Amino acid sequence: MESSSSELPQWQALEEWRRSFASRTLANLFKLDPGRQQRWSFSAASIHIDVSRNWIDDNTFGALMTLARARDLEKMRDALLGGEAVNTTEHRPAWHTALRTPPADPSVARSLEEEQRLFLGFAEALRSGRIQGSTGVPISTVVCIGIGGSDLGPRLVTEALGAPTGPVRVRFVSNIDPVELLNALDGATPESTLIVAISKTFTTLETLENLRVARDWLNAAGQRLDAAHHVVAVTAHPDRAAKIGVHPKRIFVFPEWVGGRYSLWSACGVPIAIAHGHEAFLQLLAGAAEMDAHFASAPLETNLPVILGLLGVWYVNFWNIRARAVFPYSQRLRALPSYLQQLEMESLGKRVDVDGRPVTIDTGPVVWGEVGTTAQHSVFQFMHQGTHWSPADFVVIAQHAQSDERRYRLLHASAMAQADAMAWGDSVLGAERSSAAHAITPGGRPSNIISLNQLDARCIGALLAMYEQRTFVQSVIWNINAFDQWGVEVGKKLLQQRLERESF
Ligand code: F6P
């Protein structure tokens, strides 16, 4: 049984260092160290992070690294990447990294490769028209039905890669509110539509209900259509999909040890390959693998997920800040905040440690955010003048492939202006500064600038892997299991009981 982080001498040292910031300003930290921005900037796998606008100095940074070592972060990281049973309550690995870097065990590698070959081959066959609807009409609409990890990751990446490169448009449905499926089917015809049900367990109420209605919609086309031909399932439990009539040849599988919120790299990513092609999907995996390799081997002091994870711990536990915002300055990344909400809040919203003891320190913060620049006109008032604050990740794109350079420059400059306003407040406004109480913006609010070389599959893969590993780093410091989600079960059971009472 391990001691809690707060009992470690490194924890006490960090509390001391935290107190040392009471009389300092962020501006002052920069003044004392003109090379600060350069020194606190790090790169890997086409991702560049500038963490210089944080409340850190060499002492804190060093103490955070010492804390990580005291918690055996390197050993835990190796256990994660080596496929050990790090998901302790469910007694299994959380080995999503094996989907992007083939594992040493040839039998596991072979079976992953075979699963991937099947779903990527299917995606290509759809794109090329080799697989058509049952009446010979090409499939032009794919409606993906899934929720949580079976929706957010595939949806985010499909949107982030922009307009589909093939003839098939992909739509997503997660909510049980009938409106979402209605909207997704709007304008579609059963003859040219494929329903893809994505569910690890194939027991999730929302997904099964929406699938039921979607199949009714297909069946309503009458006998001319073979509805079964228009349904695909992606699951870790093929028997359950087969039991409700999905054709075995239309079921793509992935291993039980891939967690739902880490599953976009598996067959759950089939919508990405359908919309953007198998090459884009492989590039996505390659970018993630590159970040994994960096996480596995870079010294903690220059390791992107480690640095970001430790900064997360720093604000939650030493500054009592229980929120973190993410602002992607890219319309195509507008789903990033929702994706990160699940990744981090489902992974880190835990109240007991890995030994089942109540934790004595706070764990995962509220993660929230909105796409920039839209966010500037809704939530940034709070960011700059609220009585409490939230550190922020500004996610920006260094080079845009598209034309309209002027607006992309405005987009980038807007992100930087907001990060500046958070850090320095109105102190740098010069002649335009107002002394009115209501206009004062104090600054001193930290942020990270996270820059992708470009918005392509490779960089997106690296970005998401970085966030996954960052989440893991925090779980190690907090000694919690990042890979279960028992808290979701109570609500599911209560719903079942309620439905039984109502003889639903
Ligand atoms: O209820 C939470 C959850 O289990 C998530 O962890 C998961 O991503 C989502 O539901 C969907 O589950 P499934 O893929 O089994 O339908």
Side-chain angles (χ1 to χ4, degrees), residues 146-150 198-204 207 254 259-261 342 346 485 488-489 492:
I147 198 163
S150 296
I198 306 177
S199 174
K200 179 177 171 182
T201 56
F202 234 76
T203 58
T204 303
T207 300
F254 62 99
R261 54 193 173 276
Q342 190 204 11
E346 206 165 74
Q485 60 283 322
V488 190
E489 296 307 312
K492 287 186 190 170

PDB file of all heavy atoms in Angstrom, residues 146-150 198-204 207 254 259-261 342 346 485 488-489 492, ligand 1:
ATOM      1  N   GLY A 146     -23.277   6.121 -31.458  1.00  0.00           N
ATOM      2  CA  GLY A 146     -22.432   5.725 -30.327  1.00  0.00           C
ATOM      3  C   GLY A 146     -22.478   6.860 -29.318  1.00  0.00           C
ATOM      4  O   GLY A 146     -22.993   7.942 -29.613  1.00  0.00           O
ATOM      5  N   ILE A 147     -21.928   6.632 -28.153  1.00  0.00           N
ATOM      6  CA  ILE A 147     -21.965   7.700 -27.136  1.00  0.00           C
ATOM      7  C   ILE A 147     -20.688   7.634 -26.302  1.00  0.00           C
ATOM      8  O   ILE A 147     -20.040   6.577 -26.241  1.00  0.00           O
ATOM      9  CB  ILE A 147     -23.260   7.581 -26.279  1.00  0.00           C
ATOM     10  CG1 ILE A 147     -23.555   8.882 -25.526  1.00  0.00           C
ATOM     11  CG2 ILE A 147     -23.204   6.397 -25.318  1.00  0.00           C
ATOM     12  CD1 ILE A 147     -24.991   8.989 -24.998  1.00  0.00           C
ATOM     13  N   GLY A 148     -20.331   8.744 -25.671  1.00  0.00           N
ATOM     14  CA  GLY A 148     -19.100   8.794 -24.864  1.00  0.00           C
ATOM     15  C   GLY A 148     -17.904   8.529 -25.757  1.00  0.00           C
ATOM     16  O   GLY A 148     -17.784   9.076 -26.854  1.00  0.00           O
ATOM     17  N   GLY A 149     -17.040   7.629 -25.312  1.00  0.00           N
ATOM     18  CA  GLY A 149     -15.834   7.331 -26.085  1.00  0.00           C
ATOM     19  C   GLY A 149     -16.131   6.724 -27.435  1.00  0.00           C
ATOM     20  O   GLY A 149     -15.299   6.774 -28.346  1.00  0.00           O
ATOM     21  N   SER A 150     -17.301   6.152 -27.599  1.00  0.00           N
ATOM     22  CA  SER A 150     -17.660   5.561 -28.886  1.00  0.00           C
ATOM     23  C   SER A 150     -18.208   6.604 -29.846  1.00  0.00           C
ATOM     24  O   SER A 150     -18.735   6.265 -30.915  1.00  0.00           O
ATOM     25  CB  SER A 150     -18.694   4.445 -28.671  1.00  0.00           C
ATOM     26  OG  SER A 150     -18.101   3.413 -27.919  1.00  0.00           O
ATOM     27  N   ILE A 198     -21.493   1.951 -32.886  1.00  0.00           N
ATOM     28  CA  ILE A 198     -20.204   1.776 -32.199  1.00  0.00           C
ATOM     29  C   ILE A 198     -20.473   1.692 -30.700  1.00  0.00           C
ATOM     30  O   ILE A 198     -20.993   2.634 -30.098  1.00  0.00           O
ATOM     31  CB  ILE A 198     -19.258   2.962 -32.503  1.00  0.00           C
ATOM     32  CG1 ILE A 198     -19.125   3.155 -34.025  1.00  0.00           C
ATOM     33  CG2 ILE A 198     -17.902   2.750 -31.855  1.00  0.00           C
ATOM     34  CD1 ILE A 198     -18.280   4.347 -34.433  1.00  0.00           C
ATOM     35  N   SER A 199     -20.147   0.554 -30.111  1.00  0.00           N
ATOM     36  CA  SER A 199     -20.345   0.407 -28.673  1.00  0.00           C
ATOM     37  C   SER A 199     -19.448  -0.711 -28.169  1.00  0.00           C
ATOM     38  O   SER A 199     -19.572  -1.857 -28.609  1.00  0.00           O
ATOM     39  CB  SER A 199     -21.812   0.061 -28.367  1.00  0.00           C
ATOM     40  OG  SER A 199     -21.967  -0.215 -26.990  1.00  0.00           O
ATOM     41  N   LYS A 200     -18.559  -0.361 -27.261  1.00  0.00           N
ATOM     42  CA  LYS A 200     -17.649  -1.383 -26.730  1.00  0.00           C
ATOM     43  C   LYS A 200     -18.446  -2.529 -26.100  1.00  0.00           C
ATOM     44  O   LYS A 200     -18.223  -3.688 -26.392  1.00  0.00           O
ATOM     45  CB  LYS A 200     -16.703  -0.753 -25.712  1.00  0.00           C
ATOM     46  CG  LYS A 200     -15.761  -1.762 -25.108  1.00  0.00           C
ATOM     47  CD  LYS A 200     -14.780  -1.119 -24.157  1.00  0.00           C
ATOM     48  CE  LYS A 200     -14.013  -2.219 -23.423  1.00  0.00           C
ATOM     49  NZ  LYS A 200     -13.073  -1.691 -22.458  1.00  0.00           N
ATOM     50  N   THR A 201     -19.396  -2.173 -25.248  1.00  0.00           N
ATOM     51  CA  THR A 201     -20.132  -3.206 -24.506  1.00  0.00           C
ATOM     52  C   THR A 201     -21.325  -3.761 -25.286  1.00  0.00           C
ATOM     53  O   THR A 201     -21.792  -4.847 -25.017  1.00  0.00           O
ATOM     54  CB  THR A 201     -20.696  -2.608 -23.206  1.00  0.00           C
ATOM     55  OG1 THR A 201     -21.512  -1.478 -23.561  1.00  0.00           O
ATOM     56  CG2 THR A 201     -19.579  -2.165 -22.273  1.00  0.00           C
ATOM     57  N   PHE A 202     -21.826  -2.986 -26.206  1.00  0.00           N
ATOM     58  CA  PHE A 202     -23.078  -3.271 -26.912  1.00  0.00           C
ATOM     59  C   PHE A 202     -24.229  -3.505 -25.926  1.00  0.00           C
ATOM     60  O   PHE A 202     -25.117  -4.334 -26.146  1.00  0.00           O
ATOM     61  CB  PHE A 202     -22.935  -4.446 -27.897  1.00  0.00           C
ATOM     62  CG  PHE A 202     -23.370  -4.045 -29.281  1.00  0.00           C
ATOM     63  CD1 PHE A 202     -22.562  -3.264 -30.079  1.00  0.00           C
ATOM     64  CD2 PHE A 202     -24.615  -4.399 -29.768  1.00  0.00           C
ATOM     65  CE1 PHE A 202     -22.968  -2.844 -31.338  1.00  0.00           C
ATOM     66  CE2 PHE A 202     -25.035  -3.987 -31.028  1.00  0.00           C
ATOM     67  CZ  PHE A 202     -24.203  -3.207 -31.813  1.00  0.00           C
ATOM     68  N   THR A 203     -24.196  -2.751 -24.843  1.00  0.00           N
ATOM     69  CA  THR A 203     -25.314  -2.792 -23.894  1.00  0.00           C
ATOM     70  C   THR A 203     -25.808  -1.370 -23.606  1.00  0.00           C
ATOM     71  O   THR A 203     -26.731  -1.189 -22.811  1.00  0.00           O
ATOM     72  CB  THR A 203     -24.884  -3.407 -22.539  1.00  0.00           C
ATOM     73  OG1 THR A 203     -23.800  -2.626 -22.027  1.00  0.00           O
ATOM     74  CG2 THR A 203     -24.473  -4.858 -22.664  1.00  0.00           C
ATOM     75  N   THR A 204     -25.178  -0.374 -24.217  1.00  0.00           N
ATOM     76  CA  THR A 204     -25.490   1.014 -23.850  1.00  0.00           C
ATOM     77  C   THR A 204     -26.862   1.435 -24.380  1.00  0.00           C
ATOM     78  O   THR A 204     -27.137   1.343 -25.580  1.00  0.00           O
ATOM     79  CB  THR A 204     -24.377   1.945 -24.391  1.00  0.00           C
ATOM     80  OG1 THR A 204     -23.148   1.478 -23.857  1.00  0.00           O
ATOM     81  CG2 THR A 204     -24.586   3.381 -23.968  1.00  0.00           C
ATOM     82  N   THR A 207     -27.351   3.950 -27.362  1.00  0.00           N
ATOM     83  CA  THR A 207     -26.893   3.425 -28.654  1.00  0.00           C
ATOM     84  C   THR A 207     -27.852   2.351 -29.170  1.00  0.00           C
ATOM     85  O   THR A 207     -28.228   2.348 -30.349  1.00  0.00           O
ATOM     86  CB  THR A 207     -25.464   2.869 -28.499  1.00  0.00           C
ATOM     87  OG1 THR A 207     -24.635   3.957 -28.059  1.00  0.00           O
ATOM     88  CG2 THR A 207     -24.918   2.302 -29.793  1.00  0.00           C
ATOM     89  N   PHE A 254     -12.668  -5.000 -31.412  1.00  0.00           N
ATOM     90  CA  PHE A 254     -11.436  -4.510 -30.779  1.00  0.00           C
ATOM     91  C   PHE A 254     -11.358  -5.128 -29.382  1.00  0.00           C
ATOM     92  O   PHE A 254     -12.376  -5.560 -28.837  1.00  0.00           O
ATOM     93  CB  PHE A 254     -11.383  -2.974 -30.761  1.00  0.00           C
ATOM     94  CG  PHE A 254     -12.474  -2.284 -29.992  1.00  0.00           C
ATOM     95  CD1 PHE A 254     -12.250  -1.824 -28.698  1.00  0.00           C
ATOM     96  CD2 PHE A 254     -13.731  -2.073 -30.547  1.00  0.00           C
ATOM     97  CE1 PHE A 254     -13.245  -1.175 -27.985  1.00  0.00           C
ATOM     98  CE2 PHE A 254     -14.738  -1.429 -29.847  1.00  0.00           C
ATOM     99  CZ  PHE A 254     -14.495  -0.979 -28.568  1.00  0.00           C
ATOM    100  N   GLY A 259      -9.904   0.935 -23.532  1.00  0.00           N
ATOM    101  CA  GLY A 259     -10.958   1.667 -22.822  1.00  0.00           C
ATOM    102  C   GLY A 259     -11.799   2.488 -23.794  1.00  0.00           C
ATOM    103  O   GLY A 259     -11.296   2.938 -24.832  1.00  0.00           O
ATOM    104  N   GLY A 260     -13.066   2.697 -23.464  1.00  0.00           N
ATOM    105  CA  GLY A 260     -13.968   3.430 -24.356  1.00  0.00           C
ATOM    106  C   GLY A 260     -13.420   4.789 -24.769  1.00  0.00           C
ATOM    107  O   GLY A 260     -13.419   5.143 -25.953  1.00  0.00           O
ATOM    108  N   ARG A 261     -12.936   5.561 -23.808  1.00  0.00           N
ATOM    109  CA  ARG A 261     -12.477   6.918 -24.137  1.00  0.00           C
ATOM    110  C   ARG A 261     -11.089   6.917 -24.777  1.00  0.00           C
ATOM    111  O   ARG A 261     -10.535   7.971 -25.072  1.00  0.00           O
ATOM    112  CB  ARG A 261     -12.535   7.813 -22.906  1.00  0.00           C
ATOM    113  CG  ARG A 261     -11.807   7.297 -21.675  1.00  0.00           C
ATOM    114  CD  ARG A 261     -12.183   8.099 -20.441  1.00  0.00           C
ATOM    115  NE  ARG A 261     -11.645   7.538 -19.219  1.00  0.00           N
ATOM    116  CZ  ARG A 261     -12.204   6.558 -18.520  1.00  0.00           C
ATOM    117  NH1 ARG A 261     -13.333   6.012 -18.945  1.00  0.00           N
ATOM    118  NH2 ARG A 261     -11.661   6.126 -17.401  1.00  0.00           N
ATOM    119  N   GLN A 342     -14.533  14.297 -21.457  1.00  0.00           N
ATOM    120  CA  GLN A 342     -14.682  12.875 -21.131  1.00  0.00           C
ATOM    121  C   GLN A 342     -13.340  12.263 -20.750  1.00  0.00           C
ATOM    122  O   GLN A 342     -13.220  11.576 -19.730  1.00  0.00           O
ATOM    123  CB  GLN A 342     -15.282  12.073 -22.287  1.00  0.00           C
ATOM    124  CG  GLN A 342     -15.630  10.660 -21.798  1.00  0.00           C
ATOM    125  CD  GLN A 342     -15.688   9.585 -22.862  1.00  0.00           C
ATOM    126  OE1 GLN A 342     -15.277   9.783 -23.990  1.00  0.00           O
ATOM    127  NE2 GLN A 342     -16.195   8.433 -22.491  1.00  0.00           N
ATOM    128  N   GLU A 346     -13.743  11.709 -16.822  1.00  0.00           N
ATOM    129  CA  GLU A 346     -14.075  10.306 -16.552  1.00  0.00           C
ATOM    130  C   GLU A 346     -12.842   9.574 -16.000  1.00  0.00           C
ATOM    131  O   GLU A 346     -12.961   8.660 -15.189  1.00  0.00           O
ATOM    132  CB  GLU A 346     -14.584   9.619 -17.833  1.00  0.00           C
ATOM    133  CG  GLU A 346     -15.498   8.440 -17.558  1.00  0.00           C
ATOM    134  CD  GLU A 346     -16.292   7.974 -18.773  1.00  0.00           C
ATOM    135  OE1 GLU A 346     -15.717   7.351 -19.674  1.00  0.00           O
ATOM    136  OE2 GLU A 346     -17.504   8.238 -18.821  1.00  0.00           O
ATOM    137  N   GLN A 485     -14.607   3.757 -14.577  1.00  0.00           N
ATOM    138  CA  GLN A 485     -15.625   4.826 -14.515  1.00  0.00           C
ATOM    139  C   GLN A 485     -16.848   4.307 -13.770  1.00  0.00           C
ATOM    140  O   GLN A 485     -17.959   4.346 -14.287  1.00  0.00           O
ATOM    141  CB  GLN A 485     -15.971   5.367 -15.914  1.00  0.00           C
ATOM    142  CG  GLN A 485     -16.533   4.376 -16.939  1.00  0.00           C
ATOM    143  CD  GLN A 485     -15.482   3.486 -17.543  1.00  0.00           C
ATOM    144  OE1 GLN A 485     -14.368   3.918 -17.799  1.00  0.00           O
ATOM    145  NE2 GLN A 485     -15.823   2.226 -17.732  1.00  0.00           N
ATOM    146  N   VAL A 488     -20.339   6.113 -13.203  1.00  0.00           N
ATOM    147  CA  VAL A 488     -21.390   6.235 -14.206  1.00  0.00           C
ATOM    148  C   VAL A 488     -22.460   5.151 -14.000  1.00  0.00           C
ATOM    149  O   VAL A 488     -23.591   5.272 -14.455  1.00  0.00           O
ATOM    150  CB  VAL A 488     -20.778   6.107 -15.630  1.00  0.00           C
ATOM    151  CG1 VAL A 488     -21.778   6.476 -16.690  1.00  0.00           C
ATOM    152  CG2 VAL A 488     -19.551   6.991 -15.766  1.00  0.00           C
ATOM    153  N   GLU A 489     -22.063   4.096 -13.286  1.00  0.00           N
ATOM    154  CA  GLU A 489     -22.943   2.929 -13.188  1.00  0.00           C
ATOM    155  C   GLU A 489     -24.208   3.185 -12.370  1.00  0.00           C
ATOM    156  O   GLU A 489     -25.272   2.670 -12.673  1.00  0.00           O
ATOM    157  CB  GLU A 489     -22.182   1.730 -12.605  1.00  0.00           C
ATOM    158  CG  GLU A 489     -21.052   1.249 -13.488  1.00  0.00           C
ATOM    159  CD  GLU A 489     -21.512   0.971 -14.912  1.00  0.00           C
ATOM    160  OE1 GLU A 489     -22.536   0.296 -15.093  1.00  0.00           O
ATOM    161  OE2 GLU A 489     -20.844   1.465 -15.847  1.00  0.00           O
ATOM    162  N   LYS A 492     -26.966   4.552 -14.326  1.00  0.00           N
ATOM    163  CA  LYS A 492     -27.499   3.568 -15.287  1.00  0.00           C
ATOM    164  C   LYS A 492     -28.446   2.606 -14.567  1.00  0.00           C
ATOM    165  O   LYS A 492     -29.518   2.274 -15.072  1.00  0.00           O
ATOM    166  CB  LYS A 492     -26.357   2.750 -15.896  1.00  0.00           C
ATOM    167  CG  LYS A 492     -25.508   3.486 -16.900  1.00  0.00           C
ATOM    168  CD  LYS A 492     -24.516   2.509 -17.530  1.00  0.00           C
ATOM    169  CE  LYS A 492     -23.472   3.221 -18.356  1.00  0.00           C
ATOM    170  NZ  LYS A 492     -22.387   2.350 -18.765  1.00  0.00           N
TER     171      LYS A 492
HETATM  172  O1  F6P B   1     -21.131   5.182 -19.339  1.00  0.00           O
HETATM  173  C1  F6P B   1     -19.833   5.593 -19.589  1.00  0.00           C
HETATM  174  C2  F6P B   1     -19.290   4.836 -20.729  1.00  0.00           C
HETATM  175  O2  F6P B   1     -19.050   3.527 -20.343  1.00  0.00           O
HETATM  176  C3  F6P B   1     -18.042   5.444 -21.326  1.00  0.00           C
HETATM  177  O3  F6P B   1     -16.903   5.141 -20.615  1.00  0.00           O
HETATM  178  C4  F6P B   1     -18.076   4.889 -22.699  1.00  0.00           C
HETATM  179  O4  F6P B   1     -17.210   5.564 -23.552  1.00  0.00           O
HETATM  180  C5  F6P B   1     -19.540   5.092 -23.030  1.00  0.00           C
HETATM  181  O5  F6P B   1     -20.207   4.823 -21.820  1.00  0.00           O
HETATM  182  C6  F6P B   1     -20.084   4.224 -24.127  1.00  0.00           C
HETATM  183  O6  F6P B   1     -19.960   2.867 -23.832  1.00  0.00           O
HETATM  184  P1  F6P B   1     -20.083   1.781 -24.957  1.00  0.00           P
HETATM  185  O7  F6P B   1     -18.992   2.010 -25.925  1.00  0.00           O
HETATM  186  O8  F6P B   1     -19.957   0.471 -24.261  1.00  0.00           O
HETATM  187  O9  F6P B   1     -21.425   1.951 -25.608  1.00  0.00           O
END
